[in-house]
Amino acid sequence: MTARSIATSASPTTHLIRSTMPTEAPAAPPVAKPARISAWAAFTQPSAWTMFLLGFSSGLPFLLVAGTLAYWLKEQGIELKDITMIASAGMTYAFKFLWAPLLDHWRLPGFGRLGQRRGWLLFAQLGVAVGLVAMALLTPNQLVPFVAATLVVAFFGATQDIAVDAYRIEIAPTSAQGALVATYSLGYRIALILAGAVALILADHVSWTVVYLILAAAMALPVATTLMAAEPDVLRLRPPSWRAAMRESVVDPFADFFRRYGWHLAGVTLLFILLFKIPEQATVGGVMSPFYRDMGFTKTQIGAITKIYGIWIGIAGVFVGGAAVARWGAWRTLGASIVLAGISNLLYLWLLVHPGNLLVLTLVISGENFTLGVLGPPTVAFLSSLVSRQHTATQYALLSSMVNLPGKLLGFFAGGIATATGYGGYFILTVVSIVPASLLFLYLWPRFGRTESPDATELVH
């Protein structure tokens, strides 16, 4: 599988080179605008299949340090508040922007022979595989080293995400990015089914150690993909200093955002970004796995309904959300979907009075996953509309991290809150949490409701 492209002047990497070392590299000659290709050609190009397999690689470790892990911890008799703290290792993903500059400016010894992007990709993939093997062999019976291995998997999983996103941006022009994101998302969701539903079903028949060893072995396919793929054809020059690199990749994107929107509007907007996905994040963390088990469902039932059926219902919601953005714009769709996704958490109260009822569980998962799917496209479209063309990659990474950070922090304390209030009280609190975001949405309406451009409908995992 090969995937090559030449970075244009709009590339974040090329922008970095010219701004930090303006006298050391001659200006690149004009690059002809790439011709449009058919949808069939876009989805069948080798780079699309490469991204499908790299999407699988990104999705595999995500649940293994969060929701799936919580089932293993529950069976070991670990208390709920401790389960949610340990299963919050996925919070690492929300802080990945902190070390993202390393992947742009430092070539790994040994791995650097593969190139900047593939070197980091292979390093991260091997780190995930080794961490999963360590989790399998240590087991929660050796809790401290087990938690350390979990953090290793989360760190290398987040590092892999940074490398995959950068690789995707550099291997193809803008016109082909939609197909690459789509195939990436498909691979990611298949990995979620494997690490979620399949893992739970297997755990009813074999030990969790065997399950995690099998999933560690599944990383061999992405590793082979990385070794066979081609390094992007991008000219890279080292910045004159680490300070210059940090200023260009971290400081300037923040400064640019506040320059364009002003301190007041930028501050309110960032506060809105921090708050509006809390209800969603509160029901995807470690607290849900013990909840389903306490409701009397087997791991096979939970896996089949929440991890297989639920994922496809979520994909249906994504398509509806994308169509709504095209019809009514990102801002209006975002406001409606925030409310719908938040209110859908009340469905769990229905499950509390019908424990063990598979029909009720199916209906609850249908409602929640569909509304969360609808929320995806307007979220991406809105965040994309805030990004400057000069700092696209960095600003989007920062904004997307911010949108998930509060929910990750809440997930750390979710077990303690649910223990104190009961599951019912916890779900009611998640619904109440949409009120501040809804008020900020109305406050920001005059700015974004009249000026939005519904042109960014790519999907995220």
Side-chain angles (χ1 to χ4, degrees):
M1 288 174 284
T2 61
R4 295 185 179 272
S5 67
I6 303 296
T8 68
S9 60
S11 163
T13 301
T14 306
H15 173 75
L16 173 61
I17 291 170
R18 292 180 180 173
S19 61
T20 58
M21 298 188 69
T23 62
E24 296 190 23
V31 179
K33 184 177 180 179
R36 285 189 173 275
I37 57 177
S38 68
W40 174 258
F43 281 99
T44 56
Q45 61 181 312
S47 57
W49 288 102
T50 299
M51 291 310 304
F52 169 78
L53 292 168
L54 292 181
F56 176 86
S57 185
S58 288
L60 189 66
F62 185 74
L63 287 179
L64 299 180
V65 296
T68 300
L69 173 62
Y71 290 104
W72 190 1
L73 298 174
K74 174 72 174 177
E75 291 183 0
Q76 295 296 312
I78 297 175
E79 295 183 5
L80 179 60
K81 63 182 181 64
D82 295 326
I83 290 175
T84 54
M85 289 182 181
I86 297 170
S88 291
M91 192 187 304
T92 307
Y93 285 81
F95 294 99
K96 60 186 179 182
F97 65 90
L98 293 176
W99 65 92
L102 282 175
L103 277 71
D104 275 332
H105 306 301
W106 186 43
R107 179 167 292 199
L108 286 167
F111 292 90
R113 291 181 298 174
L114 294 175
Q116 187 81 6
R117 296 306 178 206
R118 291 195 305 142
W120 275 99
L121 263 175
L122 182 62
F123 178 66
Q125 289 166 344
L126 292 177
V128 168
V130 170
L132 290 175
V133 170
M135 291 177 67
L137 298 180
L138 290 169
T139 75
N141 293 324
Q142 304 176 64
L143 192 57
V144 174
F146 180 82
V147 171
T150 301
L151 291 172
V152 167
V153 174
F155 173 79
F156 281 108
T159 302
Q160 180 182 217
D161 277 6
I162 300 169
V164 170
D165 285 338
Y167 184 84
R168 171 179 55 79
I169 291 170
E170 293 178 354
I171 63 174
T174 303
S175 59
Q177 288 296 318
L180 300 188
V181 171
T183 53
Y184 169 89
S185 299
L186 180 60
Y188 193 96
R189 282 163 173 76
I190 289 176
L192 292 183
I193 292 174
L194 179 62
V198 175
L200 290 178
I201 293 171
L202 284 174
D204 267 340
H205 307 285
V206 298
S207 69
W208 279 107
T209 293
V210 174
V211 171
Y212 269 68
L213 287 174
I214 291 173
L215 295 173
M219 287 296 295
L221 183 59
V223 167
T225 301
T226 299
L227 292 173
M228 296 173 64
E231 181 71 8
D233 291 330
V234 176
L235 175 65
R236 301 188 190 282
L237 296 176
R238 292 183 179 274
S241 66
W242 176 250
R243 172 181 288 184
M246 290 297 292
R247 183 179 64 249
E248 178 71 21
S249 58
V250 178
V251 178
D252 284 357
F254 270 113
D256 168 79
F257 185 83
F258 282 93
R259 280 196 303 267
R260 286 186 293 116
Y261 291 98
W263 283 94
H264 176 73
L265 179 59
V268 176
T269 302
L270 292 177
L271 182 60
F272 171 73
I273 290 172
L274 285 168
L275 295 178
F276 80 83
K277 290 193 76 176
I278 287 180
E280 173 195 351
Q281 295 291 327
T283 56
V284 296
V287 73
M288 297 308 298
S289 303
F291 170 69
Y292 293 135
R293 293 291 281 160
D294 288 341
M295 291 299 100
F297 298 106
T298 68
K299 293 190 292 293
T300 298
Q301 291 171 333
I302 297 167
I305 296 175
T306 69
K307 307 300 183 182
I308 297 179
Y309 169 78
I311 284 180
W312 292 108
I313 291 295
I315 291 174
V318 165
F319 280 100
V320 171
V325 170
R327 177 64 178 85
W328 293 294
W331 185 249
R332 292 171 177 82
T333 306
L334 181 63
S337 57
I338 287 172
V339 175
L340 289 175
I343 292 177
S344 71
N345 288 357
L346 291 175
L347 292 172
Y348 287 108
L349 300 180
W350 187 21
L351 193 58
L352 279 170
V353 297
H354 295 283
N357 190 312
L358 287 176
L359 176 60
V360 174
L361 176 63
T362 302
L363 294 175
V364 170
I365 293 300
S366 298
E368 192 211 20
N369 283 26
F370 182 80
T371 56
L372 294 185
V374 173
L375 180 60
T379 298
V380 175
F382 173 62
L383 296 183
S384 298
S385 71
L386 300 176
V387 169
S388 165
R389 293 295 182 183
Q390 287 186 321
H391 305 286
T392 304
T394 302
Q395 287 187 349
Y396 190 84
L398 291 169
L399 293 174
S400 60
S401 293
M402 289 181 66
V403 84
N404 292 316
L405 179 58
K408 298 291 185 183
L409 292 174
L410 175 62
F412 183 83
F413 300 102
I417 297 173
T419 300
T421 64
Y423 285 122
Y426 176 78
F427 293 128
I428 290 173
L429 285 175
T430 66
V431 176
V432 173
S433 70
I434 69 174
V435 173
S438 299
L439 294 176
L440 289 172
F441 175 86
L442 294 175
Y443 181 80
L444 292 170
W445 178 275
R447 174 60 177 83
F448 297 112
R450 300 172 185 173
T451 60
E452 65 180 350
S453 175
D455 58 355
T457 58
E458 293 179 345
L459 308 182
V460 290
H461 61 266

